[in-house]
PDB file of all heavy atoms in Angstrom:
ATOM      1  N   ALA A   1      10.302   7.024  -9.087  1.00 73.00           N
ATOM      2  CA  ALA A   1      10.925   8.350  -8.982  1.00 73.00           C
ATOM      3  C   ALA A   1      11.795   8.406  -7.729  1.00 73.00           C
ATOM      4  O   ALA A   1      11.535   7.727  -6.714  1.00 73.00           O
ATOM      5  CB  ALA A   1       9.869   9.418  -8.946  1.00 73.00           C
ATOM      6  N   ALA A   2      12.828   9.256  -7.793  1.00 72.00           N
ATOM      7  CA  ALA A   2      13.747   9.376  -6.624  1.00 72.00           C
ATOM      8  C   ALA A   2      13.010   9.823  -5.395  1.00 72.00           C
ATOM      9  O   ALA A   2      13.292   9.342  -4.286  1.00 72.00           O
ATOM     10  CB  ALA A   2      14.865  10.386  -6.983  1.00 72.00           C
ATOM     11  N   SER A   3      12.043  10.719  -5.539  1.00 73.00           N
ATOM     12  CA  SER A   3      11.307  11.203  -4.381  1.00 73.00           C
ATOM     13  C   SER A   3      10.475  10.080  -3.764  1.00 73.00           C
ATOM     14  O   SER A   3      10.335   9.992  -2.543  1.00 73.00           O
ATOM     15  CB  SER A   3      10.388  12.369  -4.779  1.00 73.00           C
ATOM     16  OG  SER A   3       9.483  11.975  -5.794  1.00 73.00           O
ATOM     17  N   THR A   4       9.923   9.204  -4.605  1.00 80.00           N
ATOM     18  CA  THR A   4       9.169   8.053  -4.105  1.00 80.00           C
ATOM     19  C   THR A   4      10.064   7.106  -3.311  1.00 80.00           C
ATOM     20  O   THR A   4       9.690   6.625  -2.262  1.00 80.00           O
ATOM     21  CB  THR A   4       8.474   7.299  -5.254  1.00 80.00           C
ATOM     22  OG1 THR A   4       7.643   8.205  -5.988  1.00 80.00           O
ATOM     23  CG2 THR A   4       7.653   6.154  -4.738  1.00 80.00           C
ATOM     24  N   LEU A   5      11.236   6.830  -3.850  1.00 77.00           N
ATOM     25  CA  LEU A   5      12.173   5.919  -3.163  1.00 77.00           C
ATOM     26  C   LEU A   5      12.658   6.538  -1.843  1.00 77.00           C
ATOM     27  O   LEU A   5      12.844   5.792  -0.841  1.00 77.00           O
ATOM     28  CB  LEU A   5      13.388   5.635  -4.062  1.00 77.00           C
ATOM     29  CG  LEU A   5      13.031   4.834  -5.338  1.00 77.00           C
ATOM     30  CD1 LEU A   5      14.282   4.659  -6.201  1.00 77.00           C
ATOM     31  CD2 LEU A   5      12.409   3.468  -4.983  1.00 77.00           C
ATOM     32  N   THR A   6      12.811   7.876  -1.804  1.00 79.00           N
ATOM     33  CA  THR A   6      13.183   8.535  -0.535  1.00 79.00           C
ATOM     34  C   THR A   6      12.052   8.356   0.479  1.00 79.00           C
ATOM     35  O   THR A   6      12.309   8.096   1.663  1.00 79.00           O
ATOM     36  CB  THR A   6      13.425  10.034  -0.788  1.00 79.00           C
ATOM     37  OG1 THR A   6      14.511  10.168  -1.689  1.00 79.00           O
ATOM     38  CG2 THR A   6      13.739  10.755   0.532  1.00 79.00           C
ATOM     39  N   LEU A   7      10.825   8.499   0.013  1.00 81.00           N
ATOM     40  CA  LEU A   7       9.657   8.329   0.876  1.00 81.00           C
ATOM     41  C   LEU A   7       9.590   6.882   1.384  1.00 81.00           C
ATOM     42  O   LEU A   7       9.311   6.647   2.575  1.00 81.00           O
ATOM     43  CB  LEU A   7       8.375   8.706   0.122  1.00 81.00           C
ATOM     44  CG  LEU A   7       7.082   8.573   0.906  1.00 81.00           C
ATOM     45  CD1 LEU A   7       7.083   9.450   2.150  1.00 81.00           C
ATOM     46  CD2 LEU A   7       5.904   8.956  -0.015  1.00 81.00           C
ATOM     47  N   VAL A   8       9.862   5.934   0.533  1.00 82.00           N
ATOM     48  CA  VAL A   8       9.848   4.519   0.945  1.00 82.00           C
ATOM     49  C   VAL A   8      10.891   4.284   2.044  1.00 82.00           C
ATOM     50  O   VAL A   8      10.588   3.661   3.081  1.00 82.00           O
ATOM     51  CB  VAL A   8      10.137   3.599  -0.282  1.00 82.00           C
ATOM     52  CG1 VAL A   8      10.420   2.155   0.195  1.00 82.00           C
ATOM     53  CG2 VAL A   8       8.937   3.625  -1.239  1.00 82.00           C
ATOM     54  N   LYS A   9      12.067   4.781   1.831  1.00 80.00           N
ATOM     55  CA  LYS A   9      13.172   4.536   2.776  1.00 80.00           C
ATOM     56  C   LYS A   9      12.868   5.129   4.128  1.00 80.00           C
ATOM     57  O   LYS A   9      13.028   4.473   5.183  1.00 80.00           O
ATOM     58  CB  LYS A   9      14.455   5.131   2.214  1.00 80.00           C
ATOM     59  CG  LYS A   9      15.700   4.868   3.080  1.00 80.00           C
ATOM     60  CD  LYS A   9      16.935   5.456   2.430  1.00 80.00           C
ATOM     61  CE  LYS A   9      18.174   5.236   3.322  1.00 80.00           C
ATOM     62  NZ  LYS A   9      19.382   5.784   2.704  1.00 80.00           N
ATOM     63  N   SER A  10      12.428   6.397   4.179  1.00 77.00           N
ATOM     64  CA  SER A  10      12.173   7.021   5.477  1.00 77.00           C
ATOM     65  C   SER A  10      10.972   6.472   6.169  1.00 77.00           C
ATOM     66  O   SER A  10      10.925   6.361   7.359  1.00 77.00           O
ATOM     67  CB  SER A  10      12.062   8.536   5.300  1.00 77.00           C
ATOM     68  OG  SER A  10      11.052   8.821   4.343  1.00 77.00           O
ATOM     69  N   THR A  11       9.932   6.040   5.362  1.00 81.00           N
ATOM     70  CA  THR A  11       8.740   5.445   6.012  1.00 81.00           C
ATOM     71  C   THR A  11       9.073   4.082   6.600  1.00 81.00           C
ATOM     72  O   THR A  11       8.567   3.731   7.662  1.00 81.00           O
ATOM     73  CB  THR A  11       7.643   5.314   4.949  1.00 81.00           C
ATOM     74  OG1 THR A  11       7.304   6.629   4.447  1.00 81.00           O
ATOM     75  CG2 THR A  11       6.370   4.728   5.590  1.00 81.00           C
ATOM     76  N   LEU A  12       9.890   3.309   5.917  1.00 81.00           N
ATOM     77  CA  LEU A  12      10.314   2.004   6.474  1.00 81.00           C
ATOM     78  C   LEU A  12      11.052   2.218   7.813  1.00 81.00           C
ATOM     79  O   LEU A  12      10.879   1.423   8.721  1.00 81.00           O
ATOM     80  CB  LEU A  12      11.201   1.283   5.489  1.00 81.00           C
ATOM     81  CG  LEU A  12      10.475   0.553   4.340  1.00 81.00           C
ATOM     82  CD1 LEU A  12      11.485   0.096   3.279  1.00 81.00           C
ATOM     83  CD2 LEU A  12       9.704  -0.638   4.877  1.00 81.00           C
ATOM     84  N   LYS A  13      11.816   3.268   7.876  1.00 76.00           N
ATOM     85  CA  LYS A  13      12.493   3.569   9.153  1.00 76.00           C
ATOM     86  C   LYS A  13      11.502   3.858  10.252  1.00 76.00           C
ATOM     87  O   LYS A  13      11.619   3.376  11.380  1.00 76.00           O
ATOM     88  CB  LYS A  13      13.443   4.775   9.007  1.00 76.00           C
ATOM     89  CG  LYS A  13      14.745   4.450   8.270  1.00 76.00           C
ATOM     90  CD  LYS A  13      15.642   5.697   8.262  1.00 76.00           C
ATOM     91  CE  LYS A  13      16.960   5.387   7.595  1.00 76.00           C
ATOM     92  NZ  LYS A  13      17.867   6.573   7.600  1.00 76.00           N
ATOM     93  N   ILE A  14      10.485   4.679   9.922  1.00 74.00           N
ATOM     94  CA  ILE A  14       9.455   5.004  10.906  1.00 74.00           C
ATOM     95  C   ILE A  14       8.755   3.751  11.385  1.00 74.00           C
ATOM     96  O   ILE A  14       8.544   3.512  12.608  1.00 74.00           O
ATOM     97  CB  ILE A  14       8.438   5.991  10.302  1.00 74.00           C
ATOM     98  CG1 ILE A  14       9.100   7.363  10.098  1.00 74.00           C
ATOM     99  CG2 ILE A  14       7.219   6.139  11.202  1.00 74.00           C
ATOM    100  CD1 ILE A  14       8.188   8.364   9.399  1.00 74.00           C
ATOM    101  N   MET A  15       8.373   2.906  10.453  1.00 76.00           N
ATOM    102  CA  MET A  15       7.660   1.650  10.825  1.00 76.00           C
ATOM    103  C   MET A  15       8.522   0.740  11.665  1.00 76.00           C
ATOM    104  O   MET A  15       8.051   0.140  12.641  1.00 76.00           O
ATOM    105  CB  MET A  15       7.220   0.949   9.547  1.00 76.00           C
ATOM    106  CG  MET A  15       6.179   1.690   8.735  1.00 76.00           C
ATOM    107  SD  MET A  15       5.816   0.910   7.155  1.00 76.00           S
ATOM    108  CE  MET A  15       5.025  -0.606   7.716  1.00 76.00           C
ATOM    109  N   THR A  16       9.813   0.655  11.360  1.00 73.00           N
ATOM    110  CA  THR A  16      10.708  -0.190  12.131  1.00 73.00           C
ATOM    111  C   THR A  16      10.824   0.312  13.569  1.00 73.00           C
ATOM    112  O   THR A  16      10.724  -0.465  14.513  1.00 73.00           O
ATOM    113  CB  THR A  16      12.093  -0.233  11.476  1.00 73.00           C
ATOM    114  OG1 THR A  16      11.964  -0.799  10.161  1.00 73.00           O
ATOM    115  CG2 THR A  16      13.055  -1.119  12.286  1.00 73.00           C
ATOM    116  N   TYR A  17      11.084   1.594  13.700  1.00 64.00           N
ATOM    117  CA  TYR A  17      11.235   2.141  15.032  1.00 64.00           C
ATOM    118  C   TYR A  17       9.936   2.147  15.816  1.00 64.00           C
ATOM    119  O   TYR A  17       9.933   1.914  17.030  1.00 64.00           O
ATOM    120  CB  TYR A  17      11.766   3.572  14.948  1.00 64.00           C
ATOM    121  CG  TYR A  17      13.252   3.628  14.670  1.00 64.00           C
ATOM    122  CD1 TYR A  17      13.751   4.192  13.512  1.00 64.00           C
ATOM    123  CD2 TYR A  17      14.171   3.116  15.600  1.00 64.00           C
ATOM    124  CE1 TYR A  17      15.105   4.199  13.255  1.00 64.00           C
ATOM    125  CE2 TYR A  17      15.536   3.146  15.337  1.00 64.00           C
ATOM    126  CZ  TYR A  17      15.993   3.690  14.165  1.00 64.00           C
ATOM    127  OH  TYR A  17      17.325   3.721  13.924  1.00 64.00           O
ATOM    128  N   ALA A  18       8.810   2.365  15.124  1.00 64.00           N
ATOM    129  CA  ALA A  18       7.550   2.311  15.840  1.00 64.00           C
ATOM    130  C   ALA A  18       7.251   0.949  16.395  1.00 64.00           C
ATOM    131  O   ALA A  18       6.800   0.785  17.531  1.00 64.00           O
ATOM    132  CB  ALA A  18       6.412   2.733  14.897  1.00 64.00           C
ATOM    133  N   LYS A  19       7.540  -0.087  15.602  1.00 64.00           N
ATOM    134  CA  LYS A  19       7.344  -1.461  16.058  1.00 64.00           C
ATOM    135  C   LYS A  19       8.282  -1.782  17.219  1.00 64.00           C
ATOM    136  O   LYS A  19       7.890  -2.412  18.228  1.00 64.00           O
ATOM    137  CB  LYS A  19       7.598  -2.419  14.913  1.00 64.00           C
ATOM    138  CG  LYS A  19       7.279  -3.876  15.249  1.00 64.00           C
ATOM    139  CD  LYS A  19       7.454  -4.796  14.040  1.00 64.00           C
ATOM    140  CE  LYS A  19       7.116  -6.228  14.405  1.00 64.00           C
ATOM    141  NZ  LYS A  19       7.290  -7.116  13.206  1.00 64.00           N
ATOM    142  N   LEU A  20       9.490  -1.342  17.119  1.00 62.00           N
ATOM    143  CA  LEU A  20      10.477  -1.591  18.205  1.00 62.00           C
ATOM    144  C   LEU A  20      10.050  -0.916  19.503  1.00 62.00           C
ATOM    145  O   LEU A  20      10.049  -1.514  20.565  1.00 62.00           O
ATOM    146  CB  LEU A  20      11.842  -1.081  17.782  1.00 62.00           C
ATOM    147  CG  LEU A  20      12.968  -1.163  18.825  1.00 62.00           C
ATOM    148  CD1 LEU A  20      13.234  -2.644  19.160  1.00 62.00           C
ATOM    149  CD2 LEU A  20      14.245  -0.507  18.304  1.00 62.00           C
ATOM    150  N   LYS A  21       9.616   0.332  19.389  1.00 58.00           N
ATOM    151  CA  LYS A  21       9.238   1.069  20.611  1.00 58.00           C
ATOM    152  C   LYS A  21       7.980   0.506  21.214  1.00 58.00           C
ATOM    153  O   LYS A  21       7.836   0.454  22.443  1.00 58.00           O
ATOM    154  CB  LYS A  21       8.990   2.553  20.275  1.00 58.00           C
ATOM    155  CG  LYS A  21      10.279   3.281  19.918  1.00 58.00           C
ATOM    156  CD  LYS A  21       9.985   4.669  19.393  1.00 58.00           C
ATOM    157  CE  LYS A  21       9.431   5.566  20.504  1.00 58.00           C
ATOM    158  NZ  LYS A  21       9.222   6.949  20.054  1.00 58.00           N
ATOM    159  N   LEU A  22       7.051   0.033  20.393  1.00 55.00           N
ATOM    160  CA  LEU A  22       5.835  -0.549  20.937  1.00 55.00           C
ATOM    161  C   LEU A  22       6.137  -1.838  21.679  1.00 55.00           C
ATOM    162  O   LEU A  22       5.617  -2.096  22.768  1.00 55.00           O
ATOM    163  CB  LEU A  22       4.832  -0.801  19.788  1.00 55.00           C
ATOM    164  CG  LEU A  22       3.458  -1.385  20.212  1.00 55.00           C
ATOM    165  CD1 LEU A  22       2.764  -0.347  21.123  1.00 55.00           C
ATOM    166  CD2 LEU A  22       2.620  -1.643  18.968  1.00 55.00           C
ATOM    167  N   SER A  23       7.002  -2.686  21.107  1.00 55.00           N
ATOM    168  CA  SER A  23       7.292  -3.971  21.745  1.00 55.00           C
ATOM    169  C   SER A  23       8.104  -3.815  23.011  1.00 55.00           C
ATOM    170  O   SER A  23       7.959  -4.586  23.947  1.00 55.00           O
ATOM    171  CB  SER A  23       8.040  -4.880  20.751  1.00 55.00           C
ATOM    172  OG  SER A  23       9.273  -4.296  20.418  1.00 55.00           O
ATOM    173  N   LEU A  24       8.959  -2.831  23.083  1.00 56.00           N
ATOM    174  CA  LEU A  24       9.781  -2.612  24.286  1.00 56.00           C
ATOM    175  C   LEU A  24       9.139  -1.682  25.278  1.00 56.00           C
ATOM    176  O   LEU A  24       9.609  -1.582  26.422  1.00 56.00           O
ATOM    177  CB  LEU A  24      11.142  -2.060  23.853  1.00 56.00           C
ATOM    178  CG  LEU A  24      11.987  -2.974  22.976  1.00 56.00           C
ATOM    179  CD1 LEU A  24      13.323  -2.273  22.622  1.00 56.00           C
ATOM    180  CD2 LEU A  24      12.315  -4.288  23.656  1.00 56.00           C
ATOM    181  N   GLY A  25       8.067  -0.997  24.894  1.00 51.00           N
ATOM    182  CA  GLY A  25       7.401  -0.063  25.792  1.00 51.00           C
ATOM    183  C   GLY A  25       8.234   1.173  26.061  1.00 51.00           C
ATOM    184  O   GLY A  25       8.185   1.742  27.165  1.00 51.00           O
ATOM    185  N   ILE A  26       9.041   1.614  25.099  1.00 40.00           N
ATOM    186  CA  ILE A  26       9.894   2.753  25.303  1.00 40.00           C
ATOM    187  C   ILE A  26       9.078   4.020  25.091  1.00 40.00           C
ATOM    188  O   ILE A  26       8.444   4.216  24.070  1.00 40.00           O
ATOM    189  CB  ILE A  26      11.058   2.743  24.281  1.00 40.00           C
ATOM    190  CG1 ILE A  26      11.875   1.435  24.507  1.00 40.00           C
ATOM    191  CG2 ILE A  26      11.974   3.955  24.476  1.00 40.00           C
ATOM    192  CD1 ILE A  26      12.954   1.268  23.449  1.00 40.00           C
ATOM    193  N   ALA A  27       9.090   4.924  26.081  1.00 40.00           N
ATOM    194  CA  ALA A  27       8.274   6.113  25.990  1.00 40.00           C
ATOM    195  C   ALA A  27       9.015   7.275  25.282  1.00 40.00           C
ATOM    196  O   ALA A  27       8.356   8.112  24.669  1.00 40.00           O
ATOM    197  CB  ALA A  27       7.864   6.581  27.401  1.00 40.00           C
ATOM    198  N   ALA A  28      10.318   7.316  25.406  1.00 38.00           N
ATOM    199  CA  ALA A  28      11.065   8.439  24.814  1.00 38.00           C
ATOM    200  C   ALA A  28      11.085   8.323  23.317  1.00 38.00           C
ATOM    201  O   ALA A  28      11.131   7.247  22.750  1.00 38.00           O
ATOM    202  CB  ALA A  28      12.467   8.477  25.379  1.00 38.00           C
ATOM    203  N   ALA A  29      11.031   9.441  22.613  1.00 37.00           N
ATOM    204  CA  ALA A  29      11.099   9.446  21.141  1.00 37.00           C
ATOM    205  C   ALA A  29      12.455   9.016  20.666  1.00 37.00           C
ATOM    206  O   ALA A  29      13.497   9.396  21.187  1.00 37.00           O
ATOM    207  CB  ALA A  29      10.810  10.864  20.628  1.00 37.00           C
ATOM    208  N   ILE A  30      12.487   8.173  19.622  1.00 39.00           N
ATOM    209  CA  ILE A  30      13.734   7.706  19.021  1.00 39.00           C
ATOM    210  C   ILE A  30      14.116   8.664  17.898  1.00 39.00           C
ATOM    211  O   ILE A  30      13.278   9.023  17.039  1.00 39.00           O
ATOM    212  CB  ILE A  30      13.594   6.296  18.478  1.00 39.00           C
ATOM    213  CG1 ILE A  30      13.318   5.325  19.631  1.00 39.00           C
ATOM    214  CG2 ILE A  30      14.828   5.856  17.713  1.00 39.00           C
ATOM    215  CD1 ILE A  30      13.079   3.914  19.192  1.00 39.00           C
ATOM    216  N   LEU A  31      15.351   9.089  17.901  1.00 38.00           N
ATOM    217  CA  LEU A  31      15.801  10.022  16.871  1.00 38.00           C
ATOM    218  C   LEU A  31      15.925   9.312  15.520  1.00 38.00           C
ATOM    219  O   LEU A  31      16.560   8.285  15.440  1.00 38.00           O
ATOM    220  CB  LEU A  31      17.164  10.626  17.269  1.00 38.00           C
ATOM    221  CG  LEU A  31      17.161  11.462  18.568  1.00 38.00           C
ATOM    222  CD1 LEU A  31      18.579  11.929  18.877  1.00 38.00           C
ATOM    223  CD2 LEU A  31      16.223  12.636  18.424  1.00 38.00           C
ATOM    224  N   LEU A  32      15.311   9.917  14.502  1.00 42.00           N
ATOM    225  CA  LEU A  32      15.409   9.356  13.172  1.00 42.00           C
ATOM    226  C   LEU A  32      16.272  10.261  12.285  1.00 42.00           C
ATOM    227  O   LEU A  32      16.547  11.402  12.637  1.00 42.00           O
ATOM    228  CB  LEU A  32      13.988   9.235  12.566  1.00 42.00           C
ATOM    229  CG  LEU A  32      12.996   8.405  13.381  1.00 42.00           C
ATOM    230  CD1 LEU A  32      11.655   8.392  12.673  1.00 42.00           C
ATOM    231  CD2 LEU A  32      13.496   6.980  13.543  1.00 42.00           C
ATOM    232  N   THR A  33      16.636   9.750  11.154  1.00 39.00           N
ATOM    233  CA  THR A  33      17.432  10.532  10.240  1.00 39.00           C
ATOM    234  C   THR A  33      16.664  11.753   9.764  1.00 39.00           C
ATOM    235  O   THR A  33      17.186  12.848   9.681  1.00 39.00           O
ATOM    236  CB  THR A  33      17.832   9.672   9.011  1.00 39.00           C
ATOM    237  OG1 THR A  33      18.509   8.559   9.473  1.00 39.00           O
ATOM    238  CG2 THR A  33      18.692  10.484   8.047  1.00 39.00           C
ATOM    239  N   ALA A  34      15.398  11.549   9.432  1.00 43.00           N
ATOM    240  CA  ALA A  34      14.565  12.700   9.053  1.00 43.00           C
ATOM    241  C   ALA A  34      13.972  13.320  10.263  1.00 43.00           C
ATOM    242  O   ALA A  34      13.135  12.732  10.934  1.00 43.00           O
ATOM    243  CB  ALA A  34      13.462  12.219   8.097  1.00 43.00           C
ATOM    244  N   GLY A  35      14.381  14.562  10.586  1.00 47.00           N
ATOM    245  CA  GLY A  35      13.915  15.206  11.804  1.00 47.00           C
ATOM    246  C   GLY A  35      12.441  15.386  11.840  1.00 47.00           C
ATOM    247  O   GLY A  35      11.803  15.272  12.876  1.00 47.00           O
ATOM    248  N   ALA A  36      11.825  15.725  10.701  1.00 45.00           N
ATOM    249  CA  ALA A  36      10.405  15.941  10.667  1.00 45.00           C
ATOM    250  C   ALA A  36       9.652  14.642  10.995  1.00 45.00           C
ATOM    251  O   ALA A  36       8.587  14.660  11.615  1.00 45.00           O
ATOM    252  CB  ALA A  36       9.981  16.449   9.274  1.00 45.00           C
ATOM    253  N   ALA A  37      10.170  13.520  10.498  1.00 45.00           N
ATOM    254  CA  ALA A  37       9.541  12.253  10.792  1.00 45.00           C
ATOM    255  C   ALA A  37       9.591  11.931  12.277  1.00 45.00           C
ATOM    256  O   ALA A  37       8.715  11.293  12.791  1.00 45.00           O
ATOM    257  CB  ALA A  37      10.205  11.153   9.978  1.00 45.00           C
ATOM    258  N   THR A  38      10.651  12.386  12.952  1.00 46.00           N
ATOM    259  CA  THR A  38      10.770  12.163  14.387  1.00 46.00           C
ATOM    260  C   THR A  38       9.604  12.769  15.118  1.00 46.00           C
ATOM    261  O   THR A  38       9.013  12.186  16.024  1.00 46.00           O
ATOM    262  CB  THR A  38      12.079  12.781  14.924  1.00 46.00           C
ATOM    263  OG1 THR A  38      13.169  12.208  14.220  1.00 46.00           O
ATOM    264  CG2 THR A  38      12.240  12.504  16.400  1.00 46.00           C
ATOM    265  N   VAL A  39       9.213  14.019  14.731  1.00 49.00           N
ATOM    266  CA  VAL A  39       8.107  14.683  15.368  1.00 49.00           C
ATOM    267  C   VAL A  39       6.814  13.887  15.188  1.00 49.00           C
ATOM    268  O   VAL A  39       6.037  13.663  16.134  1.00 49.00           O
ATOM    269  CB  VAL A  39       7.923  16.092  14.774  1.00 49.00           C
ATOM    270  CG1 VAL A  39       6.674  16.752  15.358  1.00 49.00           C
ATOM    271  CG2 VAL A  39       9.171  16.938  15.064  1.00 49.00           C
ATOM    272  N   ALA A  40       6.574  13.397  13.983  1.00 47.00           N
ATOM    273  CA  ALA A  40       5.346  12.684  13.691  1.00 47.00           C
ATOM    274  C   ALA A  40       5.223  11.410  14.495  1.00 47.00           C
ATOM    275  O   ALA A  40       4.224  11.121  15.156  1.00 47.00           O
ATOM    276  CB  ALA A  40       5.257  12.362  12.202  1.00 47.00           C
ATOM    277  N   ILE A  41       6.263  10.579  14.485  1.00 47.00           N
ATOM    278  CA  ILE A  41       6.188   9.289  15.181  1.00 47.00           C
ATOM    279  C   ILE A  41       6.212   9.457  16.694  1.00 47.00           C
ATOM    280  O   ILE A  41       5.597   8.710  17.429  1.00 47.00           O
ATOM    281  CB  ILE A  41       7.329   8.357  14.678  1.00 47.00           C
ATOM    282  CG1 ILE A  41       7.044   6.913  15.181  1.00 47.00           C
ATOM    283  CG2 ILE A  41       8.667   8.809  15.222  1.00 47.00           C
ATOM    284  CD1 ILE A  41       5.772   6.328  14.644  1.00 47.00           C
ATOM    285  N   SER A  42       6.939  10.485  17.178  1.00 52.00           N
ATOM    286  CA  SER A  42       6.962  10.727  18.630  1.00 52.00           C
ATOM    287  C   SER A  42       5.578  11.059  19.137  1.00 52.00           C
ATOM    288  O   SER A  42       5.181  10.599  20.200  1.00 52.00           O
ATOM    289  CB  SER A  42       7.937  11.866  18.945  1.00 52.00           C
ATOM    290  OG  SER A  42       9.227  11.525  18.596  1.00 52.00           O
ATOM    291  N   GLN A  43       4.823  11.871  18.394  1.00 54.00           N
ATOM    292  CA  GLN A  43       3.491  12.248  18.839  1.00 54.00           C
ATOM    293  C   GLN A  43       2.564  11.029  18.818  1.00 54.00           C
ATOM    294  O   GLN A  43       1.753  10.852  19.721  1.00 54.00           O
ATOM    295  CB  GLN A  43       2.921  13.349  17.922  1.00 54.00           C
ATOM    296  CG  GLN A  43       1.589  13.854  18.362  1.00 54.00           C
ATOM    297  CD  GLN A  43       1.590  14.410  19.760  1.00 54.00           C
ATOM    298  OE1 GLN A  43       2.454  15.217  20.108  1.00 54.00           O
ATOM    299  NE2 GLN A  43       0.704  13.958  20.605  1.00 54.00           N
ATOM    300  N   ILE A  44       2.697  10.198  17.781  1.00 48.00           N
ATOM    301  CA  ILE A  44       1.894   8.980  17.697  1.00 48.00           C
ATOM    302  C   ILE A  44       2.114   8.121  18.915  1.00 48.00           C
ATOM    303  O   ILE A  44       1.210   7.681  19.598  1.00 48.00           O
ATOM    304  CB  ILE A  44       2.204   8.200  16.409  1.00 48.00           C
ATOM    305  CG1 ILE A  44       1.675   8.954  15.201  1.00 48.00           C
ATOM    306  CG2 ILE A  44       1.609   6.803  16.460  1.00 48.00           C
ATOM    307  CD1 ILE A  44       2.099   8.377  13.883  1.00 48.00           C
ATOM    308  N   ASP A  45       3.411   7.841  19.250  1.00 54.00           N
ATOM    309  CA  ASP A  45       3.740   6.968  20.346  1.00 54.00           C
ATOM    310  C   ASP A  45       3.318   7.568  21.688  1.00 54.00           C
ATOM    311  O   ASP A  45       2.872   6.869  22.594  1.00 54.00           O
ATOM    312  CB  ASP A  45       5.235   6.651  20.343  1.00 54.00           C
ATOM    313  CG  ASP A  45       5.601   5.779  19.156  1.00 54.00           C
ATOM    314  OD1 ASP A  45       4.694   5.178  18.576  1.00 54.00           O
ATOM    315  OD2 ASP A  45       6.789   5.693  18.871  1.00 54.00           O
TER     316      ASP A  45
END
């Protein structure tokens, strides 16, 4: 379904940025295309 593919795409972005931030030790939140996802991953990090 289109909604599932949208979820796949945005979740892959979150995982990519989370891995990048963890490896570089970056504390500031990285802006994502989905603004709501930015809030979630920023709090996790």
Side-chain angles (χ1 to χ4, degrees):
S3 58
T4 303
L5 295 177
T6 299
L7 180 59
V8 169
K9 183 178 180 180
S10 55
T11 301
L12 281 169
K13 284 185 178 181
I14 290 176
M15 294 173 67
T16 299
Y17 282 116
K19 185 176 181 180
L20 176 63
K21 290 172 69 178
L22 183 61
S23 63
L24 297 179
I26 301 174
I30 296 177
L31 297 178
L32 303 179
T33 303
T38 303
V39 175
I41 193 62
S42 297
Q43 185 58 49
I44 290 172
D45 290 343

